[in-house]
Amino acid sequence: MSASAVRARGLAALLLGVAGSTGLMWLFGRLEARWVAVGWVCFIPWLLVLDRVNSRREAVLSGLVMGLAFTAAIFGWFPAALQSYSQAPLAVCWLALLLLAPFMELQFITFALARYHLRRTSREGPLAFWRITLTAALVYVGTEWLSPKLFAETLGQAFFASESLRQGADLAGAHGLTLVLLIVNECVLAAGKALAAHGLREGSRRALAPMAMLTALILGCFGYGQLRLRQVAELETPKQQLVVGVVQANITKYEKLAAEMGTYDVVRMILDTHYQLSAELLQNRKVDLLIWPETVYPTTFGTPKSEAGAEFDAEIREFISRSRVPLLFGTYDLEQEREYNAAMFVGLGRDGALERSAYRKTMLFPLTEWVPELIDSPRLREWMPWTGYWKRGPGPQTLPLQLGEGRTLTVAPLICYESIFPSYVAEEARRGAELIITLSNDSWFSGTPAPKLHLMHAAFRSIETRLPQVRVTNSGISALISPTGEVLAEVPDDHRASLALTVPPTPRLSTLMVAWGDWLGPTALLLSAMLLLGPSLLTRRKVRPAA
C-alpha cells in the first residue's frame, strides 16, 4: 500500500472516530436521563483512534480535530447569538469560535499527547494500563481547569441528568465527575479489546481488573449520591418559611428597544410591567423578599444621571414603601466615574426608613461587559462598538438582607456569568451564606440551549455548597433550586410570569468544595506532572552513579 493510501486511510479513521465520539458527546450533553449511560462510552471511538497514533504530530492533529468537532457540535448555537449581539457577519462569528476552539478545548490535545507518550514509554504489563489511564485522565482534567473557557464546560456536567450521580460534585465539582467518566471509558475499552483479542475464556480473565474498576466507580458514585440525598433530607430542619417572589417579564434586547422607542419610554415600560406583575403576586401571597432580574433597571440607581432618572428612583422607593416588601433588583451602581453591573437591595430598616446596599459584579463576560485595560483603546472601541464599559467589583461577598419582623437573611449574590465559577461561590458559602440568589439576563441566548446550560451550572453551585438557590432572569429560565440540585419550580425560556417560591431550609451540610474550593484542577496538574516526569527523573538518577 502506498504512503498516500496509508495517510488517507489514517485520516478516514480519525474522522470516523471523531465523528463517533462527537455524536455520543452531543447525546450525552442533552442533559436527559435517557442518555446518561452514553457518558460511560462516549470517548471510546476517539480512544480507538488514539491507540493508532504513531507520532506527536498525529497526536496533536487528533486532539485538534476532536476539539474543533466538539466545539462545533456543542456550541454551534453560539455564532448566531454572537451575530445577534454584535451585528457581525455570521461567517466571522463562526470563524472566531473555531479559531478559539484549540485554546478553549486544549484538553483534547494534551490528553492525546500524554496518552501517546505514555503508551510509547511504558513497559508492557498490568501496571502500564493503570498508569496510562490515570495520568492521561489527570492531564485532561488539569488542562480543562487551566484553559480559558468562556463557558466553563466539562463533560461531567452532563451527569446532572442523574439525581444520584450529580451529588458527587460536592467532593470535587463537575471535574471530578469528568475524571470518573474518563477512567470508566478506558476500562470499558480495555475490557472490550481483551475479549475481542483473546476470546471469551482468556479475555474474561484479562478483562476482570478493568471491569472490576468500572463497576466499583459507577456503583460508588451511585452509592455516594444516595447517601448524600438521604443526609440532606435528614438535616433539613423545619424552621420559619422563607417565601421569595420572582418576576420574569420577558422583555429583552433593551438596546434595540431604546433605539426604536427612546430610552425614557423603554425604562417606563420595563418598570410598569414589573410593578404590575409584582402587584399581582403580592395580592395573592405574603412574600418576604421580592426579586427582579439583572439590569432590569438599565441605569444607575441612587446616583441619577438626569431628572427622569431621579423620578424613576423615587418611584421604586415609593413602590417598596407602599408594598412594605424589600426588593432586590439588577441595576447599575456608580462611584465617581466607575460604573458597575450591580444587584441593589432596598428595604425597610429597623427604624422604618428605607435602606439600600449593593453588590457589584466581579466576573464580567470578556469584551461584551468588560475590556481589560491592557488592550482597551479607541481603535478597539471603533472596531467593536458593542464592547462594555463596566468595571470589576471587589470579589466574592455576602449580602445581609433585612427582612420583615426583624429577620436577617445572609445571601450569596451572583450576577449572571458568576454562577459558572465554583470557587467564587464556595468563598461566599464560607462567609456564612444561607441562600444563593442569582440575577441573570440570558435574553441574547433565548431559543438556544444556553438558558438550560446556564441553569445547569447554577444547580451545580447549589450541590457543591449544599445551599438552596433562587435564580431570576429577564426571559428564562428563572428557578428555585434545592441543595441537591433539583429544580423545584421554574419559569421556562421566553415566558412571562411571577412566582412565589417557598425556599427549602439550608441543611448545613459541610462539603469538600466549600472547604477547599475548586481544588481538583490544580491537584490534577501537579499529580499528572509527577506521573509523567517521575519515571524519567528516577532513571536519570540511576544512570549517573553508573556513569
Side-chain angles (χ1 to χ4, degrees), residues 23 112 163 196 219 250 425 435 458 521 537 541:
E163 183 184 34
L219 292 181
N250 200 29
V425 186
L435 172 69
L537 292 176
R541 291 187 64 182

Side-chain angles (χ1 to χ4, degrees), residues 213-527:
M213 176 59 75
L214 73 88
T215 301
L217 286 173
I218 294 174
L219 292 181
C221 288
F222 274 106
Y224 179 80
Q226 289 297 310
L227 172 66
R228 294 303 258 180
L229 287 169
R230 188 167 64 250
Q231 288 176 337
V232 169
E234 291 173 351
L235 292 173
E236 285 184 338
T237 55
K239 62 178 182 180
Q240 188 175 7
Q241 283 191 341
L242 174 67
V243 181
V244 176
V246 304
V247 175
Q248 178 176 302
N250 200 29
I251 302 173
T252 63
K253 300 181 180 178
Y254 293 171
E255 294 84 357
K256 182 179 178 182
L257 290 174
E260 296 171 354
M261 301 170 56
T263 302
Y264 179 90
D265 289 338
V266 168
V267 176
R268 176 79 278 157
M269 178 192 67
I270 292 170
L271 289 179
D272 286 346
T273 304
H274 283 80
Y275 292 147
Q276 178 187 349
L277 290 170
S278 300
E280 292 172 359
L281 177 65
L282 297 176
Q283 188 176 12
N284 299 318
R285 183 75 184 273
K286 183 181 182 301
V287 170
D288 299 300
L289 173 65
L290 186 63
I291 308 178
W292 295 350
E294 179 190 15
T295 61
V296 67
Y297 184 48
T299 184
T300 55
F301 180 84
T303 51
K305 298 179 178 179
S306 65
E307 290 184 9
E311 292 174 7
F312 285 137
D313 283 10
E315 256 186 37
I316 294 173
R317 292 191 183 97
E318 172 60 25
F319 171 78
I320 296 166
S321 297
R322 188 173 62 251
S323 65
R324 302 193 68 78
V325 176
L327 175 66
L328 182 68
F329 62 101
T331 183
Y332 309 161
D333 195 23
L334 185 65
E335 182 181 1
Q336 297 176 351
E337 298 300 319
R338 301 173 69 86
E339 193 166 282
Y340 302 87
N341 185 350
M344 191 70 65
F345 175 75
V346 183
L348 295 171
R350 296 185 186 276
D351 59 356
L354 284 181
E355 297 178 352
R356 71 182 177 99
S357 55
Y359 165 78
R360 294 169 174 174
K361 183 177 181 181
T362 299
M363 309 304 288
L364 301 173
F365 199 84
L367 296 182
T368 60
E369 291 187 314
W370 163 75
V371 177
E373 293 182 3
L374 185 65
I375 64 171
D376 197 0
S377 67
R379 178 64 62 86
L380 177 71
R381 299 287 183 176
E382 183 182 346
W383 287 346
M384 295 183 281
W386 42 267
T387 49
Y389 285 89
W390 279 322
K391 303 301 181 183
R392 291 165 63 93
Q397 63 185 92
T398 54
L399 198 61
L401 308 184
Q402 189 67 42
L403 307 181
E405 302 174 356
R407 298 167 64 191
T408 299
L409 176 69
T410 302
V411 304
L414 301 172
I415 300 179
C416 196
Y417 195 51
E418 292 175 330
S419 65
I420 74 172
F421 297 98
S423 288
Y424 194 94
V425 186
E427 176 59 30
E428 293 185 329
R430 281 193 292 272
R431 298 186 180 197
E434 303 168 82
L435 172 69
I436 299 171
I437 294 181
T438 301
L439 309 185
S440 191
N441 182 354
D442 295 342
S443 59
W444 290 102
F445 305 112
S446 185
T448 74
K452 186 177 180 181
L453 294 175
H454 207 173
L455 176 66
M456 175 269 296
H457 274 286
F460 268 106
R461 303 298 83 82
S462 282
I463 296 168
E464 292 158 1
T465 59
R466 297 302 176 189
L467 291 176
Q469 180 175 175
V470 174
R471 185 171 189 270
V472 188
T473 73
N474 296 63
S475 58
I477 303 170
S478 299
L480 172 63
I481 304 170
S482 79
T484 63
E486 181 182 1
V487 179
L488 301 174
E490 68 176 81
V491 182
D493 182 31
D494 198 25
H495 281 65
R496 173 177 291 187
S498 56
L499 289 180
L501 306 174
T502 302
V503 179
T506 305
R508 293 298 179 190
L509 191 64
S510 61
T511 74
L512 205 57
M513 283 293 287
V514 170
W516 294 356
D518 194 10
W519 63 272
L520 181 60
T523 303
L525 281 178
L526 179 62
L527 288 177

Side-chain angles (χ1 to χ4, degrees), residues 30-109:
R30 291 177 63 84
L31 305 181
E32 297 175 8
R34 58 179 173 163
W35 300 117
V36 166
V38 171
W40 304 124
V41 297
C42 64
F43 265 82
I44 289 178
W46 187 51
L47 292 178
L48 287 169
V49 171
L50 296 184
D51 282 347
R52 301 177 58 172
V53 164
N54 293 313
S55 68
R56 290 188 180 88
R57 182 179 177 181
E58 290 182 12
V60 170
L61 178 63
S62 298
L64 180 62
V65 174
M66 187 68 228
L68 290 170
F70 177 86
T71 300
I74 304 301
F75 299 112
W77 50 267
F78 184 70
L82 183 59
Q83 180 198 32
S84 176
Y85 185 87
S86 67
Q87 302 304 310
L90 182 61
V92 172
C93 297
W94 264 107
L95 180 62
L97 179 67
L98 295 178
L99 286 175
L100 285 173
F103 304 99
M104 295 193 300
E105 308 303 335
L106 184 61
Q107 72 277 2
F108 290 114
I109 297 175

Side-chain angles (χ1 to χ4, degrees), residues 127-140:
L127 290 179
F129 167 74
W130 298 114
R131 181 188 172 215
I132 294 169
T133 296
L134 180 60
T135 306
L138 289 170
V139 167
Y140 185 100

